[in-house]
Amino acid sequence: MRKLKLQMNITIDGFVGRKNGELDWMLTETDEKQIQYLKSITKNTDTILLGRNMAETAIPHWQEIAESGVENSETEFAKFFTETQKIIFSKTLKNSDAKNATIENGALNEAIRKLKTKSGSDMIVYGGARFVSSLLAENLIDELNLFVHPVSLGKGLSIFNAESKLKLTKSEFYNNGIVLHQYELK
């Protein structure tokens, strides 16, 4: 069975964005050990899951970088993101002209469970906050890779809006101050 992995940046007080989703608090990924770990998460991944809000900003952003012809620290990920199959979960969006993207309007629980039984590699979810919160509430995420930034916001968007019992499977410190906590659902 395919695994659904989450990769998300989070503050020490548990927020994944400011009140309106701003991410200006995030530190840059400058530690080579962290970059290698990020690459390892996507190594055996052939599908990206996104909520509508995240898809509307992330897809054009990464596609522009991938197609720019400029080689920089983001180019490799941008190409992965653009070339990988993306499924956008939305109750309102009916179609998308984004490269390698399809829309899923069905029941979240049913759709994810069906995707997990299909042949293929693992799937990864990048967000947004409400979408990830819904996945967690339904116990649909198998592996959480939370990159904890040494920042507190006091208030903002949380992905933990229901009880979740987690088992810590890995923890790793990076020179830029970010700490990875990898969890599985109990």
Side-chain angles (χ1 to χ4, degrees):
M1 182 174 284
R2 300 166 80 189
K3 189 167 30 171
L4 178 56
K5 302 179 284 188
L6 168 68
Q7 176 191 323
M8 192 156 249
N9 293 289
I10 191 166
T11 64
I12 60 171
D13 54 350
F15 298 109
V16 297
R18 293 191 189 275
K19 182 181 172 190
N20 294 315
E22 300 91 345
L23 301 174
D24 59 330
W25 52 269
M26 287 176 39
L27 301 176
T28 56
E29 297 160 346
T30 57
D31 185 293
E32 187 57 35
K33 185 177 172 184
Q34 180 186 12
I35 292 167
Q36 291 308 312
Y37 185 77
L38 288 165
K39 289 178 183 179
S40 76
I41 295 172
T42 59
K43 186 177 180 182
N44 295 314
T45 302
D46 67 3
T47 307
I48 297 170
L49 306 184
L50 302 161
R52 180 188 54 82
N53 290 335
M54 176 63 83
E56 288 176 343
T57 58
I59 291 173
H61 171 78
W62 291 116
Q63 191 166 326
E64 182 180 331
I65 292 171
E67 295 172 352
S68 71
V70 176
E71 292 294 323
N72 62 36
S73 61
E74 295 182 318
T75 305
E76 185 177 351
F77 177 78
K79 289 178 181 176
F80 160 79
F81 191 93
T82 302
E83 296 304 320
T84 301
Q85 175 191 2
K86 288 166 284 302
I87 302 174
I88 303 166
F89 285 79
S90 174
K91 294 190 185 321
T92 57
L93 197 61
K94 299 300 177 198
N95 56 47
S96 171
D97 58 359
K99 186 173 183 181
N100 298 317
T102 58
I103 307 296
E104 174 59 58
N105 300 118
L108 184 63
N109 195 320
E110 184 181 313
I112 298 292
R113 294 198 189 285
K114 186 176 178 182
L115 283 168
K116 284 184 173 188
T117 62
K118 288 186 174 183
S119 63
S121 299
D122 290 339
M123 301 174 290
I124 193 162
V125 58
Y126 290 118
R130 272 195 328 230
F131 179 57
V132 171
S133 181
S134 297
L135 294 170
L136 286 167
E138 297 285 337
N139 292 318
L140 295 169
I141 299 176
D142 303 298
E143 176 184 295
L144 288 79
N145 293 281
L146 301 177
F147 291 87
V148 183
H149 293 243
V151 175
S152 66
L153 297 177
K155 58 184 174 181
L157 300 176
S158 176
I159 58 171
F160 297 104
N161 297 315
E163 184 175 327
S164 296
K165 297 197 186 278
L166 307 172
K167 175 184 173 187
L168 181 67
T169 55
K170 181 178 184 144
S171 191
E172 197 167 84
F173 173 82
Y174 303 112
N175 290 329
N176 56 5
I178 297 171
V179 178
L180 161 72
H181 292 300
Q182 181 187 75
Y183 297 96
E184 293 176 354
L185 289 177
K186 279 189 170 181

